Amino acid sequence: FPEASSHDEL
Amino acid sequence: MNIFRFAGDMTHLISILVLLLKIYATKSCSGISLKTQELYAIVFVARYLDLFTDFISVYNTVMKLVFIGCSLAIVWCMRLHRVVRRTYNKDVDTFRHYFLVLGCFLLALFVHEKFTFQEVLWAFSIYLEAVAILPQLVLLQRSGNVDNLTVQYVFFLGAYRAFYILNWIYRYLTEPHFGRWIASVAGLVQTALYADFFYYYFISWKNNAKLQLPA
């Protein structure tokens, strides 16, 4: 999955 | 995405499905803390504000919708469902959880990654999630032996954050500038809160006895 800089975790 | 995080998300999903199953199948929410469920609903709403602004992946968006939907459905069920609400024993679910909300919000005002509306609420949701289980653990202590599904619910909820700690270690080792300290420290505190529960859960599982929590 594209790891965005912001909070990419649930 | 790594296997630890995926396993963590799946155990988190299972914990919520176990809870929904218990409430739906038994039409009862005895032994479940409504306050913990309300705290989790606040956690998900506060954390997933970026649901409509930042698209990360289909998986991310779908899981956020599922978590928000299920947590609100559980609170709705326990408060308003004409059959289930009668089984809610509010005289044992007496933890003053509004202090947790206030304390976490004040902490988020001081400790956050960026002083923006979304980031402060994100930090607030991380802190609140770490302590959200307290009303449920207090209720378990009070009610002594509880039914298996509630115990499984707490067990999966603890396992999910333990997997996330492995995920943060993995990401710290593999990603150069991964510094997710707020979530990691709060996640450690959260898992530590479950530690004694896990100990008694393991003992009861080893002796194949019902879970006995010290009063």
Side-chain angles (χ1 to χ4, degrees), chain B:
Chain B
M1 171 61 84
N2 59 65
I3 186 64
F4 302 114
R5 194 165 116 210
F6 185 69
D9 291 341
M10 288 305 110
T11 32
H12 194 189
L13 184 63
I14 290 171
S15 75
I16 291 178
L17 296 181
V18 159
L19 194 58
L20 272 173
L21 171 80
K22 166 185 160 66
I23 294 176
Y24 182 75
T26 63
K27 286 287 181 287
S28 157
C29 64
S30 67
I32 296 171
S33 162
L34 172 61
K35 303 197 170 185
T36 285
Q37 298 313 314
E38 287 172 347
L39 291 178
Y40 272 120
I42 296 170
V43 165
F44 291 133
V45 169
R47 186 177 306 173
Y48 299 152
L49 294 174
D50 60 348
L51 188 61
F52 304 108
T53 53
D54 305 348
F55 176 77
I56 289 169
S57 68
V58 173
Y59 170 81
N60 190 274
T61 302
V62 167
M63 290 296 275
K64 285 177 177 176
L65 289 171
V66 167
F67 284 157
I68 288 181
C70 288
S71 62
L72 291 178
I74 289 168
V75 170
W76 174 82
C77 228
M78 292 182 71
R79 273 189 173 277
L80 299 173
H81 188 285
R82 70 192 181 296
V83 177
V84 174
R85 62 191 284 223
R86 279 207 295 268
T87 62
Y88 170 55
N89 35 18
K90 62 169 165 295
D91 50 350
V92 285
D93 191 12
T94 57
F95 198 97
R96 282 187 290 281
H97 61 321
Y98 292 117
F99 287 129
L100 291 178
V101 175
L102 187 68
C104 292
F105 187 70
L106 290 177
L107 181 60
L109 283 179
F110 294 101
V111 182
H112 42 261
E113 289 185 0
K114 279 198 302 284
F115 193 69
T116 63
F117 176 74
Q118 188 168 326
E119 280 303 318
V120 168
L121 281 187
W122 180 82
F124 163 66
S125 81
I126 292 289
Y127 302 140
L128 191 60
E129 184 183 8
V131 294
I133 195 63
L134 282 173
Q136 181 66 59
L137 291 181
V138 165
L139 199 149
L140 285 186
Q141 303 269 356
R142 285 222 179 104
S143 43
N145 337 4
V146 287
D147 64 280
N148 263 343
L149 277 173
T150 309
V151 170
Q152 253 106 37
Y153 163 68
V154 177
F155 174 76
F156 281 120
L157 215 45
Y160 128 74
R161 218 55 182 164
F163 275 125
Y164 254 74
I165 289 171
L166 297 178
N167 152 62
W168 290 318
I169 293 169
Y170 176 84
R171 290 189 74 177
Y172 177 73
L173 295 176
T174 57
E175 292 171 28
H177 54 280
F178 178 78
R180 190 65 58 81
W181 303 114
I182 287 180
S184 309
V185 170
L188 272 173
V189 166
Q190 182 171 342
T191 308
L193 285 178
Y194 285 79
D196 70 323
F197 173 82
F198 277 132
Y199 169 72
Y200 290 113
Y201 186 80
F202 175 70
I203 297 292
S204 71
W205 173 75
K206 201 156 63 77
N207 308 335
N208 199 10
K210 261 185 85 65
L211 179 74
Q212 291 275 345
L213 289 173

Side-chain angles (χ1 to χ4, degrees), chain A:
Chain A
F1 301 108
E3 308 287 353
S5 64
S6 71
H7 302 298
D8 58 314
E9 293 178 346
L10 289 173

